[in-house]
Amino acid sequence: AQSVTQLGSHVSVSEGALVLLRCNYSSSVPPYLFWYVQYPNQGLQLLLKYTTGATLVKGINGFEAEFKKSETSFHLTKPSAHMSDAAEYFCAVSESNFNKFYFGSGTKLNVKP
Amino acid sequence: NAGVTQTPKFQVLKTGQSMTLQCAQDMNHEYMSWYRQDPGMGLRLIHYSVGAGITDQGEVPNGYNVSRSTTEDFPLRLLSAAPSQTSVYFCASSYRGVHEQYFGPGTRLTVT
């Protein structure tokens, strides 16, 4: 089975600062990688995904992530944090044959004014 | 197009009671899944289905049953509720091969 590790259960940044949320995965086959965002009392919304091709993927709300195979990482970044970015973020890995997702434990992002 | 819908939104059960969480999607997705979300543990896969009539276990299937008689519906049954099943439950669906899952709004279940 795959596993996903998100470093830091809580990350706090100032408004306008760089956002960096870390995700590492274990996989013996090329993975499909995802970042989801969850606002309080809501379901999960897809931010971005990597399947094949360009390793730098851009998502909604100014977020992007880079797939680094050698580091088995898929870190999420945003150049300038906004108050509305405060939410919980989940990294996920999918097996190639079926849509079984393995989620990380999540990182809560706090944005300070 | 309602997407993925879940009912009820909230539920309180006593230990030993049974109930069914409902999930429906109107996007003609082949794949459907049930997850539970617990603090600090992310989402864990309970059961999933790759099409009508086909289901399989995920990471944490004990105490739950599923069936998939139609493409649209994927109910999750708690046979005998336990306090350890207190959680938020999410249903998700996707097309085969696309790998992007669409999530429902969740059901918050408390077992006392």
PDB file of all heavy atoms in Angstrom, chain A residues 64-83:
ATOM      1  N   GLU A  64       0.520  26.029  -6.547  1.00  0.00           N
ATOM      2  CA  GLU A  64       1.191  25.135  -7.470  1.00  0.00           C
ATOM      3  C   GLU A  64       1.974  24.094  -6.683  1.00  0.00           C
ATOM      4  O   GLU A  64       2.227  24.260  -5.492  1.00  0.00           O
ATOM      5  CB  GLU A  64       2.107  25.894  -8.428  1.00  0.00           C
ATOM      6  CG  GLU A  64       3.219  26.669  -7.787  1.00  0.00           C
ATOM      7  CD  GLU A  64       4.031  27.429  -8.827  1.00  0.00           C
ATOM      8  OE1 GLU A  64       3.448  27.932  -9.816  1.00  0.00           O
ATOM      9  OE2 GLU A  64       5.263  27.527  -8.652  1.00  0.00           O
ATOM     10  N   ALA A  65       2.340  23.011  -7.359  1.00  0.00           N
ATOM     11  CA  ALA A  65       3.094  21.944  -6.715  1.00  0.00           C
ATOM     12  C   ALA A  65       4.032  21.333  -7.739  1.00  0.00           C
ATOM     13  O   ALA A  65       3.739  21.320  -8.941  1.00  0.00           O
ATOM     14  CB  ALA A  65       2.164  20.885  -6.151  1.00  0.00           C
ATOM     15  N   GLU A  66       5.158  20.829  -7.245  1.00  0.00           N
ATOM     16  CA  GLU A  66       6.141  20.223  -8.129  1.00  0.00           C
ATOM     17  C   GLU A  66       6.377  18.778  -7.746  1.00  0.00           C
ATOM     18  O   GLU A  66       6.680  18.474  -6.575  1.00  0.00           O
ATOM     19  CB  GLU A  66       7.459  20.984  -8.093  1.00  0.00           C
ATOM     20  CG  GLU A  66       8.474  20.475  -9.121  1.00  0.00           C
ATOM     21  CD  GLU A  66       9.703  21.345  -9.229  1.00  0.00           C
ATOM     22  OE1 GLU A  66       9.891  22.241  -8.385  1.00  0.00           O
ATOM     23  OE2 GLU A  66      10.472  21.127 -10.188  1.00  0.00           O
ATOM     24  N   PHE A  67       6.237  17.897  -8.710  1.00  0.00           N
ATOM     25  CA  PHE A  67       6.518  16.482  -8.520  1.00  0.00           C
ATOM     26  C   PHE A  67       8.016  16.257  -8.694  1.00  0.00           C
ATOM     27  O   PHE A  67       8.581  16.549  -9.744  1.00  0.00           O
ATOM     28  CB  PHE A  67       5.738  15.650  -9.528  1.00  0.00           C
ATOM     29  CG  PHE A  67       6.155  14.210  -9.626  1.00  0.00           C
ATOM     30  CD1 PHE A  67       6.189  13.411  -8.488  1.00  0.00           C
ATOM     31  CD2 PHE A  67       6.500  13.640 -10.843  1.00  0.00           C
ATOM     32  CE1 PHE A  67       6.553  12.079  -8.573  1.00  0.00           C
ATOM     33  CE2 PHE A  67       6.870  12.312 -10.928  1.00  0.00           C
ATOM     34  CZ  PHE A  67       6.903  11.528  -9.794  1.00  0.00           C
ATOM     35  N   LYS A  68       8.651  15.761  -7.623  1.00  0.00           N
ATOM     36  CA  LYS A  68      10.074  15.440  -7.689  1.00  0.00           C
ATOM     37  C   LYS A  68      10.224  13.950  -7.405  1.00  0.00           C
ATOM     38  O   LYS A  68      10.184  13.517  -6.247  1.00  0.00           O
ATOM     39  CB  LYS A  68      10.872  16.279  -6.688  1.00  0.00           C
ATOM     40  CG  LYS A  68      10.917  17.760  -7.034  1.00  0.00           C
ATOM     41  CD  LYS A  68      11.854  18.515  -6.116  1.00  0.00           C
ATOM     42  CE  LYS A  68      11.965  19.983  -6.541  1.00  0.00           C
ATOM     43  NZ  LYS A  68      12.892  20.759  -5.674  1.00  0.00           N
ATOM     44  N   LYS A  69      10.437  13.199  -8.469  1.00  0.00           N
ATOM     45  CA  LYS A  69      10.502  11.751  -8.343  1.00  0.00           C
ATOM     46  C   LYS A  69      11.671  11.315  -7.474  1.00  0.00           C
ATOM     47  O   LYS A  69      11.537  10.411  -6.640  1.00  0.00           O
ATOM     48  CB  LYS A  69      10.610  11.116  -9.731  1.00  0.00           C
ATOM     49  CG  LYS A  69      10.580   9.603  -9.732  1.00  0.00           C
ATOM     50  CD  LYS A  69      10.645   9.078 -11.151  1.00  0.00           C
ATOM     51  CE  LYS A  69      10.654   7.549 -11.176  1.00  0.00           C
ATOM     52  NZ  LYS A  69      10.731   7.027 -12.562  1.00  0.00           N
ATOM     53  N   SER A  70      12.824  11.955  -7.643  1.00  0.00           N
ATOM     54  CA  SER A  70      14.021  11.546  -6.895  1.00  0.00           C
ATOM     55  C   SER A  70      13.855  11.763  -5.400  1.00  0.00           C
ATOM     56  O   SER A  70      14.470  11.067  -4.595  1.00  0.00           O
ATOM     57  CB  SER A  70      15.238  12.314  -7.394  1.00  0.00           C
ATOM     58  OG  SER A  70      15.055  13.713  -7.193  1.00  0.00           O
ATOM     59  N   GLU A  71      13.023  12.722  -5.032  1.00  0.00           N
ATOM     60  CA  GLU A  71      12.794  13.015  -3.619  1.00  0.00           C
ATOM     61  C   GLU A  71      11.461  12.443  -3.133  1.00  0.00           C
ATOM     62  O   GLU A  71      11.128  12.617  -1.963  1.00  0.00           O
ATOM     63  CB  GLU A  71      12.796  14.531  -3.405  1.00  0.00           C
ATOM     64  CG  GLU A  71      14.119  15.197  -3.752  1.00  0.00           C
ATOM     65  CD  GLU A  71      14.080  16.707  -3.589  1.00  0.00           C
ATOM     66  OE1 GLU A  71      13.084  17.245  -3.064  1.00  0.00           O
ATOM     67  OE2 GLU A  71      15.062  17.362  -4.018  1.00  0.00           O
ATOM     68  N   THR A  72      10.731  11.796  -3.995  1.00  0.00           N
ATOM     69  CA  THR A  72       9.358  11.306  -3.707  1.00  0.00           C
ATOM     70  C   THR A  72       8.566  12.378  -2.973  1.00  0.00           C
ATOM     71  O   THR A  72       7.967  12.139  -1.919  1.00  0.00           O
ATOM     72  CB  THR A  72       9.359   9.984  -2.919  1.00  0.00           C
ATOM     73  OG1 THR A  72      10.035  10.168  -1.669  1.00  0.00           O
ATOM     74  CG2 THR A  72      10.022   8.885  -3.706  1.00  0.00           C
ATOM     75  N   SER A  73       8.561  13.576  -3.548  1.00  0.00           N
ATOM     76  CA  SER A  73       7.875  14.687  -2.901  1.00  0.00           C
ATOM     77  C   SER A  73       6.910  15.373  -3.852  1.00  0.00           C
ATOM     78  O   SER A  73       7.049  15.290  -5.081  1.00  0.00           O
ATOM     79  CB  SER A  73       8.891  15.706  -2.366  1.00  0.00           C
ATOM     80  OG  SER A  73       9.536  16.385  -3.437  1.00  0.00           O
ATOM     81  N   PHE A  74       5.962  16.056  -3.273  1.00  0.00           N
ATOM     82  CA  PHE A  74       4.959  16.809  -4.034  1.00  0.00           C
ATOM     83  C   PHE A  74       4.520  17.978  -3.156  1.00  0.00           C
ATOM     84  O   PHE A  74       3.392  18.054  -2.692  1.00  0.00           O
ATOM     85  CB  PHE A  74       3.787  15.903  -4.397  1.00  0.00           C
ATOM     86  CG  PHE A  74       2.830  16.494  -5.414  1.00  0.00           C
ATOM     87  CD1 PHE A  74       3.279  16.917  -6.657  1.00  0.00           C
ATOM     88  CD2 PHE A  74       1.469  16.594  -5.138  1.00  0.00           C
ATOM     89  CE1 PHE A  74       2.398  17.442  -7.599  1.00  0.00           C
ATOM     90  CE2 PHE A  74       0.582  17.118  -6.073  1.00  0.00           C
ATOM     91  CZ  PHE A  74       1.046  17.543  -7.297  1.00  0.00           C
ATOM     92  N   HIS A  75       5.429  18.902  -2.914  1.00  0.00           N
ATOM     93  CA  HIS A  75       5.167  20.018  -2.010  1.00  0.00           C
ATOM     94  C   HIS A  75       4.282  21.070  -2.662  1.00  0.00           C
ATOM     95  O   HIS A  75       4.416  21.374  -3.844  1.00  0.00           O
ATOM     96  CB  HIS A  75       6.479  20.665  -1.562  1.00  0.00           C
ATOM     97  CG  HIS A  75       7.427  19.722  -0.875  1.00  0.00           C
ATOM     98  ND1 HIS A  75       6.995  18.630  -0.134  1.00  0.00           N
ATOM     99  CD2 HIS A  75       8.782  19.716  -0.818  1.00  0.00           C
ATOM    100  CE1 HIS A  75       8.043  18.000   0.360  1.00  0.00           C
ATOM    101  NE2 HIS A  75       9.137  18.614  -0.047  1.00  0.00           N
ATOM    102  N   LEU A  76       3.423  21.655  -1.857  1.00  0.00           N
ATOM    103  CA  LEU A  76       2.471  22.672  -2.322  1.00  0.00           C
ATOM    104  C   LEU A  76       2.982  24.056  -1.944  1.00  0.00           C
ATOM    105  O   LEU A  76       3.411  24.260  -0.805  1.00  0.00           O
ATOM    106  CB  LEU A  76       1.103  22.436  -1.673  1.00  0.00           C
ATOM    107  CG  LEU A  76      -0.028  23.389  -2.048  1.00  0.00           C
ATOM    108  CD1 LEU A  76      -0.476  23.136  -3.485  1.00  0.00           C
ATOM    109  CD2 LEU A  76      -1.200  23.220  -1.090  1.00  0.00           C
ATOM    110  N   THR A  77       2.944  24.989  -2.892  1.00  0.00           N
ATOM    111  CA  THR A  77       3.415  26.340  -2.614  1.00  0.00           C
ATOM    112  C   THR A  77       2.446  27.385  -3.153  1.00  0.00           C
ATOM    113  O   THR A  77       1.652  27.121  -4.056  1.00  0.00           O
ATOM    114  CB  THR A  77       4.801  26.602  -3.236  1.00  0.00           C
ATOM    115  OG1 THR A  77       4.710  26.427  -4.656  1.00  0.00           O
ATOM    116  CG2 THR A  77       5.855  25.661  -2.670  1.00  0.00           C
ATOM    117  N   LYS A  78       2.534  28.563  -2.531  1.00  0.00           N
ATOM    118  CA  LYS A  78       1.833  29.746  -3.018  1.00  0.00           C
ATOM    119  C   LYS A  78       2.697  30.937  -2.658  1.00  0.00           C
ATOM    120  O   LYS A  78       3.122  31.053  -1.512  1.00  0.00           O
ATOM    121  CB  LYS A  78       0.447  29.862  -2.399  1.00  0.00           C
ATOM    122  CG  LYS A  78      -0.337  31.063  -2.927  1.00  0.00           C
ATOM    123  CD  LYS A  78      -1.759  31.088  -2.398  1.00  0.00           C
ATOM    124  CE  LYS A  78      -2.501  32.308  -2.961  1.00  0.00           C
ATOM    125  NZ  LYS A  78      -3.933  32.358  -2.531  1.00  0.00           N
ATOM    126  N   PRO A  79       3.007  31.798  -3.615  1.00  0.00           N
ATOM    127  CA  PRO A  79       3.958  32.873  -3.351  1.00  0.00           C
ATOM    128  C   PRO A  79       3.517  33.846  -2.260  1.00  0.00           C
ATOM    129  O   PRO A  79       4.341  34.341  -1.499  1.00  0.00           O
ATOM    130  CB  PRO A  79       4.064  33.590  -4.703  1.00  0.00           C
ATOM    131  CG  PRO A  79       3.598  32.600  -5.711  1.00  0.00           C
ATOM    132  CD  PRO A  79       2.567  31.764  -5.023  1.00  0.00           C
ATOM    133  N   SER A  80       2.219  34.112  -2.191  1.00  0.00           N
ATOM    134  CA  SER A  80       1.748  35.135  -1.273  1.00  0.00           C
ATOM    135  C   SER A  80       0.439  34.692  -0.631  1.00  0.00           C
ATOM    136  O   SER A  80      -0.588  34.575  -1.307  1.00  0.00           O
ATOM    137  CB  SER A  80       1.545  36.452  -2.027  1.00  0.00           C
ATOM    138  OG  SER A  80       1.021  37.445  -1.186  1.00  0.00           O
ATOM    139  N   ALA A  81       0.481  34.445   0.669  1.00  0.00           N
ATOM    140  CA  ALA A  81      -0.704  33.935   1.364  1.00  0.00           C
ATOM    141  C   ALA A  81      -1.772  34.998   1.520  1.00  0.00           C
ATOM    142  O   ALA A  81      -1.479  36.182   1.732  1.00  0.00           O
ATOM    143  CB  ALA A  81      -0.309  33.416   2.748  1.00  0.00           C
ATOM    144  N   HIS A  82      -3.005  34.543   1.435  1.00  0.00           N
ATOM    145  CA  HIS A  82      -4.157  35.412   1.649  1.00  0.00           C
ATOM    146  C   HIS A  82      -4.957  34.846   2.812  1.00  0.00           C
ATOM    147  O   HIS A  82      -4.938  33.641   3.073  1.00  0.00           O
ATOM    148  CB  HIS A  82      -5.013  35.441   0.375  1.00  0.00           C
ATOM    149  CG  HIS A  82      -6.055  36.503   0.374  1.00  0.00           C
ATOM    150  ND1 HIS A  82      -7.315  36.307   0.885  1.00  0.00           N
ATOM    151  CD2 HIS A  82      -6.030  37.789  -0.075  1.00  0.00           C
ATOM    152  CE1 HIS A  82      -8.028  37.405   0.760  1.00  0.00           C
ATOM    153  NE2 HIS A  82      -7.274  38.318   0.192  1.00  0.00           N
ATOM    154  N   MET A  83      -5.672  35.725   3.490  1.00  0.00           N
ATOM    155  CA  MET A  83      -6.457  35.278   4.656  1.00  0.00           C
ATOM    156  C   MET A  83      -7.416  34.153   4.277  1.00  0.00           C
ATOM    157  O   MET A  83      -7.658  33.238   5.065  1.00  0.00           O
ATOM    158  CB  MET A  83      -7.239  36.441   5.246  1.00  0.00           C
ATOM    159  CG  MET A  83      -6.382  37.558   5.822  1.00  0.00           C
ATOM    160  SD  MET A  83      -5.387  36.987   7.220  1.00  0.00           S
ATOM    161  CE  MET A  83      -6.665  36.741   8.437  1.00  0.00           C
TER     162      MET A  83
END
